[in-house]
Amino acid sequence: MFQMLNRLNPDAILGLMTQFRADSSAMKVDLGVGVFRDLSGNTPVLDCVRRAEQNVLAGQITKSYVSAAGREEFNVSVEALVLGSSHPARTGRRTRTVQAPGGCGALRVGAELIRVATPAATVHVSDPTWGNHIPLLGSSGLRLERYPYYDAATHELHFEAMLERLDGAPAGDVVLLHACCHNPSGADLTAAQWQSLIELLQRRRLVPFLDLAYQGFGDDLDADVAGVRRLAEQLPEVLIATSYSKNLGLYRERVGALIVVSENESRADAVYSHVLQIARSIYSMPPDHGAAIAACILADAGLRESWVHELAAMRDRIKAMRTLLARHLQAATGDASYGFIERQRGMFSLLGVPTTVVDRLRERHHIYMTGDSRMNLAGIMPHNVGYVAAAIAAECNSATATATATARIA
Ligand SMILES: Cc1ncc(COP(=O)(O)O)c(C=O)c1O
């Protein structure tokens, strides 16, 4: 049976993690894998999570099954966290939410729902987008296409080109949008751009599928979902995949949810029945432990307040590193354009250099980032920022020198 299977290349990010672990240099810097790190380089268990976990364990009387939709109180709290408690889609009973195994699980269930509802639909994804979007959505059998979004070389959002491309998409197609803290670019839409996009989606009858993996990492829990809330107010159908890996630090517990907004209550019930069947046919039920912790934090005023503070601390640490790296790079290169790093949001920015430079940064300086030059700013520390900036300046200089020499020879 397995004779036909050839060995696949390792997943790019997981492969990079393995290489980093094997590197014995004391200077090594991990800007690759997308996890938050504190000033000691750890990905901590949040204090609110530790306390909630104790409550969960103390109150647990059974390990019996929950349901294909997961925990009801988690789903209700998540919906309120994302849409706000009195959002018209909620009061109009047009929303249905199911817990899913992480943001990835929610994205995959959403993709399966789209395939069941409109198998011929194309899903339009941003260029660039998070690497795992392609296999997650594509392996459900849906057709994927890219729309222009961001140019890593000029550090500019291609908003007009994005609108122009989506304007040509057939009605019923789906547009995957990063709700905030775009991965990998860190470049988000402004409020005015969200509004223009909403008008286009309405006019062209396109369905938005929002990936919300970083709520609270941009400005704050409410501001980061302003675009999502407006979309769900103004459009009849919206899908939202949420993740609590980053903002609650629950990575390995696999906590996420799929929120679906439908045109009316009876459509919402029909959609819900399909979502439950999809979940049942893939993994039957989502894991409960992490969702129980998240539900406990969201329901308890004290724990929730601690979470808001801890989340602000994670966000501020990343913002501080953005400022520091931008300043060090500007000082090391004399190039003011590195200010883009400070202006962008969330955990990532694209340095905007060719793969050859990414390779040299790894081979010569032990600085690890993905091939597209995505940097996780949470991997920058006050003690290594000077080293990273000097290495980037050296390698970018040598790349420019090589390009100039090649041009002269040509
Ligand atoms: C853009 C984006 N979406 C979704 C996810 C899914 O996260 P998880 O499945 O770990 O909850 C991630 C995680 O890195 C992400 O960056």
Side-chain angles (χ1 to χ4, degrees):
M1 187 201 292
F2 300 135
Q3 280 170 7
M4 300 304 289
L5 297 183
N6 293 320
R7 191 176 170 149
L8 297 173
N9 291 327
D11 173 277
I13 294 182
L14 301 184
L16 203 64
M17 276 167 79
T18 312
Q19 265 182 299
F20 181 79
R21 273 195 211 114
D23 187 334
S24 57
S25 166
M27 302 305 288
K28 67 180 179 179
V29 182
D30 183 8
L31 306 182
V33 63
V35 297
F36 173 79
R37 292 188 198 285
D38 63 17
L39 285 171
S40 320
N42 297 323
T43 304
V45 179
L46 300 188
D47 188 51
C48 60
V49 166
R50 275 196 201 286
R51 288 193 282 142
E53 191 160 35
Q54 280 164 9
N55 294 348
V56 167
L57 291 176
Q60 198 166 64
I61 47 165
T62 179
K63 293 278 188 194
S64 178
Y65 294 122
V66 183
S67 81
R71 265 184 186 258
E72 184 54 21
E73 70 270 30
F74 169 82
N75 293 336
V76 171
S77 300
V78 156
E79 223 184 85
L81 180 72
V82 174
L83 294 175
S85 46
S86 54
H87 192 281
R90 297 189 75 216
T91 52
R93 306 178 67 79
R94 293 168 45 221
T95 52
R96 296 292 180 273
T97 299
V98 295
Q99 185 193 321
C104 289
L107 284 163
R108 184 55 188 264
V109 172
E112 295 293 334
L113 176 66
I114 296 164
R115 199 183 51 81
V116 168
T118 53
T122 295
V123 181
H124 301 263
V125 301
S126 64
D127 183 13
T129 197
W130 177 47
N132 208 19
H133 276 152
I134 311 295
L136 266 178
L137 305 177
S139 50
S140 66
L142 289 165
R143 224 169 76 85
L144 303 183
E145 258 180 41
R146 292 178 192 270
Y147 58 83
Y149 185 77
Y150 179 81
D151 186 341
T154 59
H155 319 297
E156 273 176 29
L157 204 73
H158 282 323
F159 188 63
E160 292 310 318
M162 169 182 175
L163 290 190
E164 202 179 306
R165 179 70 57 83
L166 294 178
D167 210 359
D173 271 7
V174 176
V175 183
L176 187 79
L177 299 162
H178 297 232
C180 65
C181 307
H182 186 273
N183 177 4
S185 74
D188 286 343
L189 301 182
T190 63
Q193 288 171 331
W194 272 110
Q195 194 49 44
S196 309
L197 178 63
I198 291 171
E199 283 158 22
L200 181 136
L201 297 173
Q202 272 173 332
R203 185 164 46 78
R204 299 293 308 159
R205 300 172 67 80
L206 300 171
V207 180
F209 188 176
L210 289 138
D211 183 353
L212 176 57
Y214 298 93
Q215 186 177 2
F217 269 63
D219 290 324
D220 65 46
L221 282 169
D222 287 316
D224 288 356
V225 286
V228 178
R229 290 177 181 175
R230 274 160 68 192
L231 266 171
E233 231 177 270
Q234 297 178 41
L235 289 169
E237 295 176 342
V238 181
L239 293 95
I240 308 163
T242 74
S243 161
Y244 300 93
S245 299
K246 316 288 156 108
N247 58 10
L248 274 166
L250 285 169
Y251 307 84
R252 65 175 65 170
E253 301 290 357
R254 312 308 299 134
V255 190
L258 178 70
I259 303 173
V260 187
V261 180
S262 306
E263 202 168 6
N264 56 44
E265 191 174 353
S266 69
R267 282 291 110 223
D269 285 334
V271 165
Y272 188 58
S273 68
H274 280 274
V275 173
L276 293 183
Q277 194 176 65
I278 291 164
R280 191 90 175 106
S281 68
I282 309 178
Y283 50 79
S284 186
M285 293 176 202
D288 179 60
H289 187 67
I293 294 170
C296 177
I297 294 168
L298 293 172
D300 180 297
L303 287 172
R304 193 180 174 118
E305 200 188 324
S306 307
W307 176 45
V308 168
H309 282 112
E310 289 184 89
L311 183 56
M314 290 196 277
R315 180 172 65 235
D316 291 347
R317 154 141 164 73
I318 298 172
K319 282 191 172 173
M321 293 307 112
R322 285 186 172 281
T323 306
L324 207 57
L325 181 61
R327 296 209 178 132
H328 272 82
L329 279 170
Q330 283 164 343
T333 61
D335 181 351
S337 72
Y338 284 109
F340 76 89
I341 296 173
E342 195 172 0
R343 290 191 299 276
Q344 293 175 342
R345 292 141 43 93
M347 224 145 71
F348 307 109
S349 278
L350 289 165
L351 184 57
V353 297
T355 333
T356 46
V357 174
V358 171
D359 290 344
R360 282 207 299 271
L361 284 166
R362 189 181 60 253
E363 287 156 11
R364 295 182 184 166
H365 307 274
H366 311 275
I367 297 171
Y368 289 71
M369 56 182 84
T370 50
D372 55 357
S373 74
R374 186 190 79 168
M375 301 179 290
N376 172 10
L377 279 306
I380 299 280
M381 309 286 160
H383 72 263
N384 68 22
V385 64
Y387 172 72
V388 171
I392 291 173
E395 292 309 333
C396 287
N397 259 341
S398 93
T400 316
T402 315
T404 317
T406 315
R408 259 196 230 114
I409 293 161

